[in-house]
């Protein structure tokens, strides 16, 4: 059991242990109000070890891991935040906000930051123990803190700030300190400085914690102002500002860049809610609402029981922290974010008890314990649901034990990165780019790292995070400026069913004007910067207002169209956005007889984006570059998600249609090369690429890696030119498994050779997977042929004998010529 000094209501700061001589020990225990005891020496280090998260070494490719790689890259490059790099995470993001390392350089920095972080969090969590009202509550708190430590996610940063805020508030408002004096003891000053440094460290890691830190400092100074401790207020504010500036400089940043960083961070926070808002499981939200209501009741009791301004301030710190955790968890509601709230909710009832300083009556005791148990239980349940529950804790502990010696960690990083080989090598791109600079527009910059390319990325380096016009113009200016990379890998990969080129819209427009395709590999399009822009500036074609749900026609003229939309929130929408998240709106577009629906974010679409033609893939993008026909948008409309969410927006919105010219090739040879790249994109596993397809847009690639197929819904023809001589035509064909349970009449696969009118069939087979199980799965084709140079070869698919093309999802892959 931890032994702590009792704190009377009239005295907000515990006395130092009698006879304390050793300064370092005095700081550890007097700072946090704990006596020296065996339990402290056991529990606090145990919690620190359970909180330890040593990073893994790997080079992944997915979006979430790619931004972590870029944070390490920027750390090693000492990139200027706000100018050269701008993201949800700040200059300390690599040290405290990542879980992987992808390079040897900087790995030790991350290692030592992980250890320091675990120690500081454990000290703060156990510092609050002395503020619990009784020994039983102290024991319950210690048990809950130890239980949640190994499964804490980013909730530990919220709790760390809250605990330090409460401890600092109590020490600075001690009842025995005259209100007019500014005289603070060494331990008071040490705690104040530590708190401000931690607020700076978490704040420069993530903007959410910067706002939380400012809010908590506001609570502390507000209480001090009400107590008329004006000199201490000045000391607190000066210490906080100096800690923020000093930490900013210590992280290798420039003071002159701070305004740009704060502006960019505010823009990201401002646009995040609408652009990243997602609904999650209702059951998670119901439990969270119960916890919020329980906290409000417990906070009401704590306010009634507090009786003093400092204790009211401490209760406010607990509830402010819970609000920040609520917003972080449920604006984008998925399992990973939801655990932030549950982790905070599991311990925040104890913070309210510490604020009140009294044992609650039995209904509130039951309520507090119920919230703790529900918070822990829901956290465990959600983690188990995604496969990272308590069963993973032993492996995590073993990982930390094995890598705790710094030499072992160094060897782990070196060995893992040396052995890391991913199937995303881009040899053609490497040969073309060489040592020139390159960026990837999209979100999977792991391609760049795996291939050892010379990275020069735009400031907001993942396209889905370019939430507002300010951020869009920041990226657009980078691509248009003198420091732009010579090459860009283009990836059309919006998240959350966003309108494709609305993400990072200004950057896309600059790429269409100033870059041209020079290669295609593994589904990515390689663009090279041209000496002069290829198109003229867009001109205004239509400017008007429209109502939600009204179809707006796109004028049928030559050229392309950009669209910008100005949607205003109602007061109800603003309140919903502040307390929870804003409503969703969608953009529906008509193309011929088809209608497509995409999610849009109001701030993101204020800047114009390419509407027509609708570019949905890298192949569409390349087709636009080379002037191939694309389905045109004939009309569009903006609609809210539901009738309830319709009240979040004004019924009328403004729109602007701008007319622009499509991109043009510098010369005929460049255009011819680009057309060959287009076929490579549409047929990713084919080494023998068709010259044309009939009907023209009937062939579409799907799948990933080795399981990529080209769907050619029957009837369809792929036309090839034979190189001459005798070769083995090899391929695989099938009907897609999604059609197996549907009663069609099968489909024919044929290979024909010769010119039109004299074409002969050299192979034919009917697949009918509904009736014949042996026709399911990939079917091999190996056909030895001796044709004349330039002779036409056709891969055909046709409906079955009854001519029924329903579910004739015929597919080809790995079409090639093998030696005899």
């Amino acid at each position: 059991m931890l032994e702590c000094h009792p704190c009377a209501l009239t005295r907000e700061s515990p006395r130092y242990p009698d006879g304390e001589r050793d300064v370092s020990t005095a700081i550890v225990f007097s700072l946090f109000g704990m006596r020296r005891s065996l339990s402290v020496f056991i529990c606090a280090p145990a919690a620190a070890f359970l909180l330890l998260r040593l990073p893994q070494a790997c080079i992944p490719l997915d979006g979430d891991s790619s931004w972590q790689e870029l944070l390490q890259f920027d750390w090693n490059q000492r990139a200027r935040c706000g100018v050269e790099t701008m993201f949800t995470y700040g200059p300390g993001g690599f040290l405290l906000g990542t879980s992987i390392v992808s390079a040897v350089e900087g790995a030790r920095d991350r290692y030592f930051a992980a250890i320091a972080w675990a120690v500081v969090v454990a000290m703060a969590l156990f510092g609050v123990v002395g503020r619990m009202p009784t020994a039983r509550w102290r024991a319950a708190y210690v048990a809950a803190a130890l239980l949640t430590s190994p499964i804490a996610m980013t909730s530990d940063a919220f709790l760390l700030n809250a605990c330090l805020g409460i401890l600092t508030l109590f020490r600075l408002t001690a009842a025995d300190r005259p209100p007019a004096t500014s005289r603070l003891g060494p331990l008071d000053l040490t705690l104040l400085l530590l708190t401000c440094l931690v607020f700076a460290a978490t704040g420069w890691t993530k903007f959410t914690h910067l706002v939380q830190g400012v809010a908590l400092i506001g609570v502390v100074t507000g209480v001090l102002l009400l107590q008329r401790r004006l000199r201490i207020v000045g000391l607190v504010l000066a210490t906080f500002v100096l800690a923020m500036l000093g930490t900013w400089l210590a992280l290798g940043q420039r003071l002159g860049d701070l305004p740009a960083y704060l502006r960019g961070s505010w823009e990201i926070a401002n646009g995040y809610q609408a652009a990243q808002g997602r609904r999650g499981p209702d059951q998670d939200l119901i439990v969270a609402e119960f916890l919020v209501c329980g906290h409000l009741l417990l906070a009401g009791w704590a306010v009634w029981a507090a009786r003093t301004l400092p204790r009211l301030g401490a209760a406010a710190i607990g509830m402010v922290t819970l609000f920040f955790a609520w917003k972080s968890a449920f604006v984008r509601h998925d399992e990973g974010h939801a655990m932030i709230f549950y982790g905070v909710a599991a311990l925040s009832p104890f913070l309210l008890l510490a604020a009140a300083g009294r044992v609650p009556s039995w209904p509130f005791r039951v309520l507090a314990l119920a919230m703790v148990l529900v918070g822990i239980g829901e956290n465990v349940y959600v983690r188990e649901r995604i496969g990272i529950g308590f069963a993973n804790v032993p492996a995590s502990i073993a990982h930390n034990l094995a890598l705790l010696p710094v030499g072992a960690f160094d060897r782990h990083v070196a060995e893992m990165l040396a052995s890391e080989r991913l199937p995303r090598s881009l040899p053609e791109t490497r040969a073309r780019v060489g040592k020139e600079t390159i960026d990837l527009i999209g979100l999977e910059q792991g391609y760049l790292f795996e291939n050892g390319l010379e990275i020069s990325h735009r400031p907001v380096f993942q396209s889905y995070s370019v939430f507002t016009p300010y951020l869009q113009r920041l990226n657009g200016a980078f691509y248009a400026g003198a420091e732009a990379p010579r090459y860009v890998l283009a990836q059309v990969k919006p998240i959350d069913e966003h309108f494709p080129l609305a993400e990072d819209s200004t950057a896309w427009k600059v790429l269409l004007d100033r870059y041209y395709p020079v290669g295609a590999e593994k589904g990515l399009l390689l663009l090279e910067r041209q000496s002069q822009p290829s198109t003229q500036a867009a001109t205004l074609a239509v400017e008007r207002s429209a109502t939600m749900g009204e179809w707006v026609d796109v004028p049928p003229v030559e050229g392309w169209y950009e669209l910008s939309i100005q949607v205003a929130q109602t007061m109800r929408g603003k309140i919903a956005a502040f307390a929870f998240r804003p409503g969703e709106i969608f953009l529906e577009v008509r193309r011929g007889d088809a209608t497509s629906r995409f999610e849009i974010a109001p701030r993101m679409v204020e800047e114009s984006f390419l509407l027509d033609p609708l570019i949905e893939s890298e192949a569409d993008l390349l087709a636009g570059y080379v002037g191939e026909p694309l389905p045109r948008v004939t009309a569009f409309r903006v609609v809210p998600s539901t009738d309830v969410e319709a009240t979040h927006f004004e019924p009328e919105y403004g729109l602007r249609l701008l007319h622009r010219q499509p991109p043009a090739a510098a010369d005929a040879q460049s255009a011819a090369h680009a057309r060959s790249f287009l076929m490579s994109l549409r047929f990713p596993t084919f080494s023998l690429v068709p010259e044309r397809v009939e009907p023209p847009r009937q062939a579409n690639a799907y799948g990933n890696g080795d399981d990529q197929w080209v769907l050619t819904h029957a009837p369809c023809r792929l036309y090839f030119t034979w190189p001459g001589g005798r070769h083995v035509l090899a391929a695989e064909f099938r009907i897609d498994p999604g059609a197996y349970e549907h009663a069609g009449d099968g489909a024919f696969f044929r290979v024909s050779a010769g010119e039109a009118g004299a074409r002969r069939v050299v192979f034919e087979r009917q697949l009918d997977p509904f009736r014949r199980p042996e026709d399911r799965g990939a079917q091999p084709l190996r056909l030895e042929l001796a044709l004349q140079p330039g002779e036409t070869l056709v891969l055909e698919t046709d409906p079955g004998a009854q001519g029924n093309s329903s579910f004739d999802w015929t597919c080809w892959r790995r079409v090639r010529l093998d030696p005899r």
Side-chain angles (χ1 to χ4, degrees):
M1 179 71 65
L2 290 171
E3 298 178 9
C4 307
H5 282 289
C7 300
L9 289 177
T10 58
R11 180 173 177 79
E12 302 300 343
S13 179
R15 295 184 181 275
Y16 302 156
D18 295 334
E20 190 63 75
R21 302 249 179 208
D22 181 70
V23 175
S24 62
T25 308
I27 290 176
V28 172
F29 295 103
S30 296
L31 210 57
F32 300 113
M34 297 186 291
R35 288 182 184 269
R36 288 173 293 174
S37 67
L38 180 63
S39 57
V40 171
F41 281 107
I42 293 175
C43 293
F49 183 76
L50 293 174
L51 286 162
L52 182 61
R53 306 285 187 272
L54 292 178
Q56 297 275 0
C58 60
I59 307 179
L61 288 175
D62 63 272
D64 281 342
S65 298
S66 289
W67 64 252
Q68 297 187 55
E69 291 179 282
L70 284 164
L71 287 180
Q72 183 174 6
F73 174 80
D74 285 343
W75 172 261
N76 291 334
Q77 298 292 318
R78 297 297 185 262
R80 298 166 58 193
C81 287
V83 178
E84 296 173 338
T85 182
M86 191 69 252
F87 193 54
T88 309
Y89 288 86
F94 166 62
L95 295 181
L96 300 178
T98 61
S99 59
I100 66 169
V101 292
S102 55
V104 174
E105 185 182 2
R108 272 203 178 191
D109 298 337
R110 180 66 183 85
Y111 165 86
F112 287 116
I115 294 175
W117 176 257
V119 170
V120 171
V121 173
M123 288 173 61
L125 289 178
F126 277 84
V128 182
V129 173
R131 297 292 173 176
M132 296 300 129
T134 66
R136 290 183 178 179
W137 283 107
R138 292 195 291 271
Y141 175 73
V142 169
L146 289 174
L147 188 62
T148 57
S149 292
I151 59 172
M153 299 289 282
T154 51
S155 58
D156 51 3
F158 290 102
L159 290 167
L160 168 63
N161 286 349
C163 290
L164 287 178
I166 290 172
L167 292 168
T168 301
L169 175 62
F170 280 153
R171 291 198 67 88
L172 296 182
T173 58
D176 62 344
R177 183 174 293 116
T181 185
S182 61
R183 201 178 300 169
L184 298 178
L187 297 177
D188 301 322
L189 292 171
T190 302
L191 178 58
L192 174 60
L193 180 60
L194 174 64
T195 299
C196 290
L197 287 174
V198 169
F199 284 3
T202 59
W204 297 139
T205 295
K206 195 172 177 68
F207 188 68
T208 301
H209 298 304
L210 176 60
V211 179
Q212 182 200 11
V214 170
L216 299 192
I217 288 293
V219 172
V220 172
T221 56
V223 172
L224 290 168
L225 281 171
L226 291 173
Q227 288 189 333
R228 298 182 181 179
R229 302 176 188 268
L230 301 183
R231 295 180 181 178
I232 299 180
V233 168
L235 181 62
V236 170
L237 293 177
T239 304
F240 179 67
V241 170
L242 289 174
M244 295 297 296
L245 296 178
T247 308
W248 176 264
L249 293 172
L251 291 169
Q253 300 301 307
R254 305 180 187 179
L255 283 180
D257 295 338
L258 187 54
Y261 171 76
L262 294 176
R263 167 70 189 278
S265 296
W266 173 253
E267 291 285 335
I268 287 177
N270 186 257
Y272 175 87
Q273 294 194 102
Q276 295 281 76
R278 304 301 295 170
R279 291 184 175 90
D282 289 340
Q283 63 189 43
D284 292 353
L285 196 57
I286 291 171
V287 173
E289 289 169 346
F290 160 76
L291 290 170
V292 168
C293 292
H295 276 83
L296 289 173
L297 290 173
L298 192 60
W301 167 82
V303 168
W304 173 84
R307 310 289 174 85
T308 65
L309 280 173
R311 293 193 178 280
L312 289 174
I317 286 174
M319 292 306 292
V320 166
T321 298
L322 188 74
F323 175 74
F324 276 100
W326 162 268
K327 290 286 289 183
S328 296
F330 296 113
V331 168
R332 185 170 182 83
H333 181 184
D334 54 30
E335 284 82 358
H337 287 92
M339 287 186 287
I340 298 172
F341 176 78
Y342 298 129
V344 171
L347 295 183
S348 52
F350 292 107
L351 301 185
L352 293 176
L353 292 178
R358 295 177 58 183
V359 177
S361 57
W362 71 265
F364 290 102
R365 277 182 244 173
V366 173
L367 178 63
L369 290 174
M371 288 192 296
V372 171
L373 294 175
V374 170
I376 294 174
E378 189 68 10
N379 202 345
V380 172
Y381 168 70
V382 173
R383 290 177 64 90
E384 292 287 350
R385 202 164 69 203
I386 58 176
I388 56 172
F390 271 114
N392 296 82
V393 171
S396 177
I397 292 175
H399 172 77
N400 288 335
L401 281 172
L403 301 186
L404 196 53
V406 66
F409 177 78
D410 289 342
R411 289 192 296 273
H412 162 75
V413 172
E415 291 171 1
M416 289 297 293
L417 296 182
S419 63
E420 192 80 18
R421 293 292 181 271
L422 297 175
R424 300 295 177 93
S425 177
L426 303 174
E428 296 175 14
T429 300
R430 287 199 304 270
R432 173 85 188 206
V433 173
K435 295 298 181 181
E436 297 288 343
T437 54
I438 188 171
D439 188 21
L440 183 145
I441 186 167
L443 53 85
E444 293 182 343
Q445 287 84 358
Y447 281 101
L448 305 180
F449 289 98
E450 184 185 350
N451 287 276
L453 299 171
E454 190 69 24
I455 300 172
S456 175
H457 66 73
R458 61 205 183 283
V460 190
F461 46 68
Q462 291 205 309
S463 293
Y464 64 82
S465 292
V466 190
F467 302 135
T468 68
Y470 172 84
L471 300 171
Q472 289 163 334
R473 290 192 291 268
L474 199 64
N475 277 1
F478 171 76
Y479 280 150
E483 301 300 319
R486 180 174 176 180
Y487 293 96
V488 173
L489 278 171
Q491 181 185 54
V492 182
K493 198 169 186 177
I495 67 168
D496 299 340
E497 299 179 354
H498 286 170
F499 196 89
L501 298 195
E503 292 184 347
D504 223 345
S505 59
T506 306
W508 278 113
K509 289 184 292 185
V510 175
L511 292 180
L512 289 169
D513 289 345
R514 295 178 177 266
Y515 285 75
Y516 198 77
V518 293
E521 192 173 11
K522 301 288 178 67
L524 299 173
L525 183 60
L526 181 64
L527 308 177
E528 185 176 14
R529 186 176 175 86
Q530 305 300 299
S531 57
Q532 294 294 331
S534 63
T535 61
Q536 299 176 349
T539 58
L540 182 64
V542 176
E543 184 171 17
R544 53 165 289 194
S545 61
T547 57
M548 293 284 183
E550 173 191 355
W551 283 101
V552 178
D553 291 330
V554 177
V557 299
E558 293 295 325
W560 291 4
Y561 278 108
E562 300 171 12
L563 171 67
S564 69
I565 302 172
Q566 294 79 41
V567 179
Q569 285 184 324
T570 61
M571 182 55 67
R572 181 173 181 174
K574 293 176 181 177
I575 294 172
F578 174 78
F580 186 31
R581 63 169 172 252
E584 297 176 337
I585 56 175
F586 294 86
L587 178 65
E588 294 184 352
V589 298
R590 282 179 180 164
R591 293 174 294 167
D593 296 331
T595 300
S596 301
R597 180 182 172 102
F598 302 93
E599 185 175 348
I600 56 174
R603 295 300 313 281
M604 188 178 286
V605 295
E606 287 178 12
E607 193 76 5
S608 67
F609 58 91
L610 184 64
L611 170 73
D612 174 43
L614 176 57
I615 305 294
E616 295 187 272
S617 66
E618 292 82 6
D620 287 344
L621 180 63
L622 187 48
Y625 269 111
V626 301
E628 281 209 356
L630 286 167
R632 302 303 299 264
V633 174
T634 57
F636 65 89
R637 67 174 180 174
V638 176
V639 293
S641 176
T642 64
D643 290 339
V644 172
E645 293 189 351
T647 62
H648 293 184
F649 305 99
E650 296 292 349
E652 282 198 356
Y653 65 93
L655 66 91
R656 300 174 77 239
L657 269 175
L658 296 99
H659 182 262
R660 62 169 289 145
Q661 295 300 318
D667 51 58
Q669 186 177 14
S670 298
H673 287 162
R675 286 190 178 88
S676 67
F677 304 145
L678 175 59
M679 301 308 283
S680 298
L681 278 177
R682 288 179 174 169
F683 300 90
T685 64
F686 288 33
S687 57
L688 182 63
V689 179
E691 293 182 342
R692 74 178 193 277
V693 180
E694 291 183 357
R697 297 182 60 82
Q698 192 78 342
N700 296 284
Y702 73 100
N704 294 293
D706 292 335
D707 196 36
Q708 282 188 300
W709 290 81
V710 176
L711 176 64
T712 58
H713 194 294
C716 184
R717 308 283 185 271
L718 307 181
Y719 293 86
F720 304 82
T721 298
W722 192 259
R726 185 178 292 273
H727 302 275
V728 173
L729 174 67
E732 294 177 60
F733 60 96
R734 74 174 185 184
I735 293 179
D736 186 87
Y740 290 172
E741 304 304 321
H742 299 278
D745 61 347
F748 286 97
F749 292 80
R750 298 189 187 92
V751 179
S752 303
E755 301 307 317
R759 194 166 293 148
R760 61 192 184 281
V761 175
V762 295
F763 170 84
E764 180 178 86
R765 181 176 171 187
Q766 182 184 19
L767 297 184
D768 190 358
F770 178 76
R771 296 175 179 81
R772 297 196 298 266
E774 63 271 20
D775 286 349
R776 300 182 177 188
Q779 309 293 321
L781 170 67
R782 290 190 65 81
L783 191 64
E784 186 173 337
L785 296 173
L787 306 178
Q788 296 299 317
E791 193 169 352
T792 300
L793 181 77
V794 185
L795 299 187
E796 308 177 28
T797 58
D798 278 311
Q802 299 177 14
N804 179 10
S805 63
S806 300
F807 303 105
D808 283 355
W809 299 343
T810 53
C811 307
W812 299 92
R813 75 170 174 181
R814 295 175 183 166
V815 177
R816 63 195 186 275
L817 294 182
D818 287 345
R820 297 171 53 192

